Amino acid sequence: MEQTFIMVKPDGVKRQLIGEVIKQYEQKGLQLKAAKLMVISEELAKQHYAEHEGKAFYAKLITFITSGPVFAMIWQGENAVAVGRKLNGKTNHLEADLASIRGRFATDTSLNVVHGSDSLESAAREIGLFFNKTEQIG
Ligand SMILES: Nc1nc2c(ncn2[C@@H]2O[C@H](COP(=O)(O)OP(=O)(O)O)[C@@H](O)[C@H]2O)c(=O)[nH]1
Ligand SMILES: [Mg+2]
């Protein structure tokens, strides 16, 4: 069993897509292990997106991800990391499969509705950044 960190980004929360995202993950058979609505601090945003520091879109990304509430979640299941990437769709909304969350709802590569961990290592790191042990269902 794997766990992955999935987050509805500020654009998705504003557009009332939390329920839609949860529905996709539930219908694909993953189990919800933790969830919370929160505003990301600049410090947490920089830790979460440390790999992108120095890139052209970095400043815009930090501003965007801290611009309003996000809905952070842990989902568990077989191949949860790969399933999450597939359900979310490709980063660039023009390349995302039209059946994926980004393919259906993203309007821009920056405003792409959801985040999903890209590996088991990232998932463990991101889960640790966002959730205490007491917030997770065992
Ligand atoms: N404007 C812009 N934003 C980008 C670009 N690449 C990535 N981003 C943003 O930065 C986030 C993190 O990038 P990345 O880890 O590569 O993509 P992800 O793992 O699919 O979310 C993406 O989800 C986008 O919100 C880009 O080329 N242009
Ligand atoms: Mg990524």
Side-chain angles (χ1 to χ4, degrees):
M1 280 291 181
E2 290 182 9
Q3 289 193 336
T4 188
F5 176 69
I6 303 297
M7 172 168 72
V8 183
K9 294 181 178 183
D11 59 328
V13 172
K14 276 196 197 89
R15 291 172 59 198
Q16 315 254 58
L17 293 173
I18 294 173
E20 183 63 41
V21 172
I22 290 175
K23 187 174 85 175
Q24 298 299 316
Y25 279 81
E26 285 187 324
Q27 290 183 343
K28 195 67 184 170
L30 298 191
Q31 301 293 321
L32 185 60
K33 290 290 170 179
K36 62 180 168 188
L37 191 66
M38 62 183 283
V39 176
I40 299 183
S41 68
E42 190 171 328
E43 186 190 351
L44 178 57
K46 287 179 172 169
Q47 288 177 290
H48 176 63
Y49 281 129
E51 66 176 303
H52 297 305
E53 196 182 344
K55 293 184 186 168
F57 59 84
Y58 178 73
K60 188 175 170 185
L61 178 59
I62 298 299
T63 300
F64 163 59
I65 208 69
T66 58
S67 68
V70 300
F71 194 70
M73 297 168 280
I74 301 171
W75 286 91
Q76 180 173 300
E78 297 281 344
N79 303 117
V81 170
V83 170
R85 298 291 289 186
K86 199 83 179 167
L87 285 174
N88 287 0
K90 288 195 176 171
T91 311
N92 182 331
H93 71 115
L94 294 175
E95 292 173 5
D97 189 302
L98 281 174
S100 68
I101 294 166
R102 285 169 169 173
R104 290 164 65 207
F105 300 114
T107 52
D108 183 294
T109 297
S110 306
L111 308 178
N112 58 6
V113 185
V114 274
H115 166 83
S117 306
D118 64 7
S119 65
L120 268 181
E121 295 69 34
S122 300
R125 191 182 77 86
E126 292 167 358
I127 286 169
L129 280 176
F130 281 84
F131 289 101
N132 297 323
K133 277 282 173 221
T134 56
E135 295 173 304
Q136 303 176 33
I137 303 301

